[in-house]
Amino acid sequence: MLERKQLKGRAQVTFVLPADTPAGPVSVVGDFNDWQPGTHVLQARADGMRAVTVALPGKSEHSFRYLAAGDYWFDDEQADDHDGTNSRVRT
């Protein structure tokens, strides 16, 4: 799930997943962090979810995927779009 907060000239996008699905650490990996695993690791929230917030330029589109333990890559079913390989987010 994606949560957004619009700011002047940029957007804060929060990537949100259930706290235990999939098990273990999960990071969001995309063109905004040069596809580097571990740069944006989701952290537990009080509401039983886990999340990480990334600042992105306004009026832009970005590709991303999630990477879980065991080299398990997966997409966000609720992303703005999918390009065949990746999830897409629009700010």
Side-chain angles (χ1 to χ4, degrees):
M1 174 173 61
L2 303 173
E3 298 172 350
R4 294 175 181 84
K5 182 176 181 181
Q6 296 297 324
L7 304 170
K8 187 174 183 177
R10 61 188 175 102
Q12 287 183 334
V13 178
T14 302
F15 299 85
V16 183
L17 294 173
D20 58 357
T21 307
V26 176
S27 58
V28 63
V29 185
D31 57 16
F32 46 83
N33 62 14
D34 294 324
W35 298 95
Q36 293 297 310
T39 302
H40 294 103
V41 178
L42 282 74
Q43 302 295 320
R45 298 195 314 191
D47 65 0
M49 305 296 273
R50 58 183 159 179
V52 65
T53 300
V54 179
L56 299 173
K59 298 181 182 177
S60 61
E61 289 191 34
H62 300 276
S63 294
F64 73 95
R65 295 191 82 195
Y66 296 107
L67 177 60
D71 202 32
Y72 172 62
W73 290 87
F74 62 102
D75 292 318
D76 190 322
E77 293 179 12
Q78 297 178 354
D80 297 330
D81 199 5
H82 295 87
D83 66 10
T85 305
N86 303 306
S87 299
R88 302 279 294 163
V89 60
R90 293 183 198 98
T91 59

